[in-house]
Amino acid sequence: MATYAGNGLTPEVASFAQKHGLTLMAQDELQKLLNASVSLAQRRVTVSVPATVANLGPGLEVVGMAVDIWDEFTLEFADHFSVEIRGLDTPEVPRNEENLVVQGAASAFKEACRPFPTMHFICEHRIPYDKGLGAASAAFVGGFLAGSVLCAEELRHLERSTELRHLEKSTEKSTGRSNSKEGFDVVDCSAPTNASGVETLLEAAIARGWNPGNVCPAIYGAIQIGINTSNGMRSHRVPCPHGLVLCLFVPDGQEEETGLDMELVDRQKAIFNVGRVALLINV
């Protein structure tokens, strides 16, 4: 909770007002400005992302379903980069910049045209890794979502600094006082100030080559049909009855069974047509 100095001012505003000799009316206006536009920047965020099963029925690389097994990812600003991995059977998960949670967060900041800050990552893995349950795409999705939240908070914090900087410049002009050594740092806010949306996340994950049947339900939940349109990738939810129970049989081996010969038809044409059929069924 904020503490206030005399006359209902926060210490920051009181110090600023004293330094620049603001009138009582100007002090009141500055306090109202900060109360209306400033919130403490969030330093830590946790998101959960479900496991997914793709290629349901005829929905090759189109239809997928979220599963009630969740990975949890916590991101926070830090002085030093680090990745903490928790959970069973995770020796193959990278502890460096190659970690998909890290890459997801970096993509979120990149899409928002912001530099990627130093962070501490905590990855609680419950989804069996490399077992066909979308653990890789879930990690990227989780990192992107958490990174988007922190990026938006950082932008709001930078906007506050910019407002104060502009106010200080205005005060210097009106009072003839200058504080070039002790003033606020100039912040370049010429880049877009809106964090990436969910649609951007969907496009970013698909661009990395992951199956829409994994990516779409990881983002939107439930059963999803993911199709590529002239306006980009789109996901459509499939109505399903409540109370369904899923039984998973997870093999010990790392490699999946040998796939069917897909050279009989053009793969992209087959995916395109299956997506349209699945979408027709869902309407």
Side-chain angles (χ1 to χ4, degrees), residues 114 154-163 187 189:
R114 302 303 309 167
E154 183 193 51
L155 287 172
R156 281 192 283 270
H157 183 66
L158 291 178
E159 287 170 359
R160 173 194 179 186
S161 297
T162 305
E163 288 175 351
V187 179
C189 290

Side-chain angles (χ1 to χ4, degrees), residues 9-205:
L9 303 179
T10 60
E12 293 84 356
V13 173
S15 176
F16 187 91
Q18 182 180 10
K19 182 185 299 183
H20 296 283
L22 299 184
T23 65
L24 292 177
M25 182 177 295
Q27 295 176 31
D28 184 62
E29 289 298 321
L30 176 57
Q31 187 63 62
K32 288 180 180 179
L33 172 66
L34 294 182
N35 289 342
S37 63
V38 176
S39 61
L40 293 178
Q42 184 172 344
R43 307 294 299 176
R44 177 186 178 104
V45 64
T46 299
V47 300
S48 297
V49 183
T52 52
V53 176
N55 306 320
L56 295 181
L60 175 64
E61 297 194 14
V62 172
V63 184
M65 175 175 60
V67 179
D68 193 18
I69 304 173
W70 300 76
D71 276 0
E72 186 176 278
F73 308 107
T74 299
L75 280 62
E76 60 183 340
F77 295 114
D79 294 330
H80 304 284
F81 170 81
S82 61
V83 178
E84 180 180 348
I85 304 297
R86 301 174 183 174
L88 301 175
D89 302 325
T90 57
E92 59 270 66
V93 179
R95 269 75 169 172
N96 53 25
E97 288 80 1
E98 298 299 317
N99 185 285
L100 290 172
V101 181
V102 177
Q103 293 188 17
S107 294
F109 275 82
K110 180 180 179 181
E111 291 293 338
C113 299
R114 302 303 309 167
F116 188 41
T118 304
M119 289 188 181
H120 174 58
F121 297 81
I122 303 175
C123 307
E124 185 76 36
H125 290 285
R126 303 182 184 92
I127 303 174
Y129 194 79
D130 201 16
K131 302 290 186 178
L133 291 173
S137 55
F140 182 86
V141 167
F144 195 105
L145 290 174
S148 295
V149 173
L150 292 177
C151 184
E153 293 294 341
E154 183 193 51
L155 287 172
R156 281 192 283 270
H157 183 66
L158 291 178
E159 287 170 359
R160 173 194 179 186
S161 297
T162 305
E163 288 175 351
L164 288 176
R165 177 60 180 171
H166 290 166
L167 179 60
E168 184 174 68
K169 287 184 176 180
S170 176
T171 304
E172 289 175 359
K173 290 180 180 179
S174 62
T175 62
R177 301 184 183 184
S178 178
N179 190 31
S180 58
K181 293 184 179 180
E182 298 179 3
F184 294 91
D185 293 333
V186 177
V187 179
D188 180 11
C189 290
S190 59
T193 57
N194 292 326
S196 304
V198 176
E199 290 184 358
T200 305
L201 164 57
L202 178 58
E203 294 287 351

